[in-house]
Amino acid sequence: MRAKLVRIGNSRGLRLAKPLLEEAGLTDEVDIHAAPGVLTITPVAAPRAGWAEAAAAVAPEGLLDPATPTHFDEGEWEW
């Protein structure tokens, strides 16, 4: 698809067709990265996206590393 850059004050804008936005999964907020001759537009990922799935994948005891006993655990703690 070809498009023309339009003047918006001292800047330029680009009009993107609704079907193109829908196909790309772009909404109101995007990240734009520039390289020589290339602009890359990506959707903004929601903060903490995927955290629930990652937490569900943690072992039932909930620890990633084995417990490290401290002086308190070894001498002062009682059940």
Side-chain angles (χ1 to χ4, degrees):
M1 171 182 280
R2 285 186 182 239
K4 289 200 177 232
L5 295 175
V6 295
R7 285 198 181 276
I8 303 174
N10 290 333
S11 300
R12 298 282 181 122
L14 181 63
R15 293 185 188 133
L16 301 173
K18 184 177 178 181
L20 187 63
L21 293 171
E22 289 173 349
E23 184 176 337
L26 301 176
T27 57
D28 291 335
E29 192 172 357
V30 295
D31 282 325
I32 303 173
H33 300 276
V38 177
L39 291 176
T40 304
I41 303 171
T42 55
V44 172
R48 299 178 188 89
W51 282 23
E53 295 81 12
V58 173
E61 59 275 354
L63 298 176
L64 299 176
D65 298 321
T68 306
T70 65
H71 175 69
F72 175 79
D73 294 326
E74 294 171 354
E76 297 179 28
W77 177 256
E78 293 181 21
W79 282 97

